[in-house]
Amino acid sequence: MYSFEPNEEQQMLMDAVGKYAANDLRPAAHDAEEGHEFPMRLVSKGWELGLLQASVPEMYGGFGDRSAVTGVLAVEEMAFGDLAGALSVLTPSLFATSVLLAGSEEQKKEYLPKIVEGAWAPYTAALIEYSFDFDPNELKTTAKAQGGGYVLSGEKVFVPFAKDAEALIVYANLDGVTQGFIVKKEAQGLSVSTEREKLMGLNALPMYRVKLENVTASRLGGASGHDFGLILASMHLASAAAALGVARSSFEYAKSYAKEREAFGVKIAQKQAIAFMLAEMATELEAIRLLTWEAAWQLDNGKEEALTSAYLAFTGACDMAMMVTDRGVQIYGGHGYIRENPVELLMRNGRGFPMLLGLAIV
Amino acid sequence: MTIEFEAPKPIVQMQVMLKTVAENMMRSTSREMDENEHAIPWDYVEFMHTAMRSMGGGGGLTINDDKPKEGAEKRPPIGYQKLASQIEMLSWGDVGYYLITPGGGLGAAAVAAAGSPEQKAKFLERFNGDKPTYAAMCMTEPGAGSDTSAIRARAVLDEKTNEWVINGEKIFVTGGDKSFTEYEKLGKGFIVVWASIDPSAGRSGMRAFVVEAGTPGVKITKLEHKLGIRASDTASISLVDARVPFENVLGKPTVEKTTTGFKGAMATFDATRPLVAASGIGVARAALEFLKEKLQESGIEIRYRLPRNKLTSIEKDVIDMEIQLRSAWLLTLKAVWMADNKKSNALESSMSKVRAGDVTTKITQKAVEILGPIGYSREFLLEKWFRDAKITDIYEGTGQINRLVVARQILGYTGAELR
Ligand SMILES: Cc1cc2nc3c(=O)[nH]c(=O)nc-3n(C[C@H](O)[C@H](O)[C@H](O)COP(=O)(O)OP(=O)(O)OC[C@H]3O[C@@H](n4cnc5c(N)ncnc54)[C@H](O)[C@@H]3O)c2cc1C
């Protein structure tokens, strides 16, 4: 069957997350960006919504099963509030969901209960490298088998909460294949930059560079490793969902503004030039949303085409986010260019998705 | 409810069958039909009529209620989803052919949307008959296209005979010839003519009238020569003192201050816009598949899952085309799924049409460009699909008109607030 409506449980979750996004994240977004800090109080509140906890089975301390469909629904709702806030709340998932998807039984037992049962704690992951043609399937950070274990060397950028991280997953190139490795805080040869990354957007999310010089690490999934494709697809989907949230936020602001602002004696929304932009934004959003849902559904149902579909949804979402957030600013006119108005930050965030792959996972 | 993307079995089975038809009956003669505008491919018409009757869906492409057999497990209705999938596959074969698939088309859709139960029974039964039968819808006039409120056609009740007397001039009637001209091989069809019963009442005075094939005073005055979809006849029809029985008016025969008359037309569009979208998407899929085939013959494989910055320009284009096509199809599916589940879908309908109009033209245009001389040559069908695709953004509301519908819906504006 085809069906296009979240189930009751998903709807409840979306309502709860949506409320948090609208009431807590949205009002905090501007000051957090300007002050380069997201209030931890709000991060904890978001953590208590239990998105990650609900996707981890009981035997590992959670209370549910992972579903990519539920994941994308929740991430869109949360990112609607604020991208930096949402990514802060979801950072521990970067570690935990990858362990859940690809870890050995032992790794799951070691990490999942302590992450999901406790308060929000900085567990994170490092994927991105600093080059224009960064390719998650051809990483420059290397892993080599040594003794019974592995050693990693290389440099990662944009690693959220790396400074305080208890442990992180580092993705590295092992004989031409990308694999995740668990690196502990105290590992020899691991160094985290003292300065935070300075980016065009996302300044409320503390991100760091991470250097690895012959760092000993344990491979996700143990000696036989894991399928990185699954993790990458889950990252593609999370990014697509976050892009939807950011774009929808800009669209909603622009729509309300257009119904208030007057020019030439009418509301600007009554001018076709504005109304058509809004119609196209809405259509684009819905089109990419369905593409994302379908890919997530395919992933949940073990369909062969899921990995390509997730890639396509992500690729489409990157363009959609730029298109929609650019128009958000355009509809505000000169006022859109002023940082006091939310569409300004949303446009900076809207540009980021192609380079921020790996900062969220469902 | 849930989120699910598994194509229902009956749809999958039907698509397998229609693909055979598309390949064997349509593609093989597409070029010939394109070059002999107005020829009628009787083989196809008769074959499709028989085939669709034997499938139990009624003659031709008509929405059926798809009621489960008694005692069978209850399942959600998929009539519109099935119809959209049929149309997509037939249009993948050849959209000109699809448009002359026997059945009620837009004419029957108008009766289904605005007619009483008695009228539906009376006018729609014929499509199940022995002979292929057509119906068409006449809204557009020389002076009234997008702006349907400018329609001049007039219907006056002759109280002595209890007949409506209709005068007017209609253009661009898809299937107008096959619906109105009494061909021996066809069953008796009809055209649905929109006319005003009270010009002072504006849109609320507008009504649709069923005009039977062969009605005196009605003439086909012209068949258009077009950019594409040449297998489909596009007729001009003049009505001079044409008389139709009183009971052939769809909706209330009296004028009230509400816009009930026109709501019928709008309801028809909610139902048919995603179907037009589906048709365009079929054409675009044909073009994209052809493009990939030709690229493959030249040793080019699209490297999906590579970051954009590592792709060639052609790969980027193809990947964007895939995204456009799939997302347009999902919007269309959602719109018909809503129709099946009796959810109001004016917004989604127009969204699917906007998106399909955009992407089918973009995809076919880009495909011709990428393939260069091969794309432009009449040796292959791609140049024809480029011409065929363009109509998607024009009929059933142009791209602009559907943007207006979407914008009004999301802004909560009336037609007066956003023109
Ligand atoms: C092959 C073919 C088959 C057709 N089949 C049928 C049929 O079966 N039955 C039928 O009734 N009609 C049919 N039509 C007619 C079709 O629906 C109209 O052509 C269409 O609605 C546009 O009307 P128009 O051609 O008069 O263009 P116009 O209304 O004159 O539009 C010209 C341009 O102005 C734009 N425009 C108009 N109004 C606005 C506005 N308010 N805001 C912004 N832009 C605007 C349009 O988008 C378009 O770009 C068919 C047409 C063709 C070409």
Side-chain angles (χ1 to χ4, degrees), chain A residues 224-305:
Chain A
S224 50
H226 61 92
D227 174 11
F228 175 64
L230 204 61
I231 291 183
L232 183 58
S234 308
M235 290 174 166
H236 279 143
L237 289 173
S239 278
L244 284 165
V246 167
R248 176 156 61 91
S249 177
S250 182
F251 165 73
E252 291 290 344
Y253 277 124
K255 186 177 84 177
S256 311
Y257 187 76
K259 289 182 75 172
E260 291 298 320
R261 179 75 178 171
E262 289 189 10
F264 301 97
V266 294
K267 305 291 183 198
I268 57 169
Q270 292 176 274
K271 297 273 183 196
Q272 285 193 355
I274 300 293
F276 282 16
M277 277 203 270
L278 287 167
E280 287 165 9
M281 290 155 82
T283 303
E284 193 70 28
L285 269 163
E286 184 66 7
I288 298 299
R289 182 175 297 119
L290 294 180
L291 209 57
T292 305
W293 287 7
E294 183 185 40
W297 177 85
Q298 289 173 350
L299 199 65
D300 283 344
N301 288 275
K303 303 280 177 190
E304 208 182 307
E305 61 275 25

Side-chain angles (χ1 to χ4, degrees), chain A residues 272, chain B residues 137 139-140 145-146 172 174 226 391 394-395 398 400 404:
Chain A
Q272 285 193 355
Chain B
M137 161 123 131
M139 174 84 83
T140 307
S146 303
F172 296 168
T174 297
K226 306 188 296 292
I391 194 62
I394 297 175
Y395 59 13
T398 62
Q400 290 67 42
L404 276 177

Side-chain angles (χ1 to χ4, degrees), chain A residues 312, chain B residues 288 292 304 318-327:
Chain A
L312 293 175
Chain B
L288 181 52
K292 290 206 288 191
Y304 294 101
V318 172
I319 283 171
D320 285 345
M321 287 153 98
E322 304 251 16
I323 292 167
Q324 291 168 4
L325 185 69
R326 188 70 197 166
S327 61

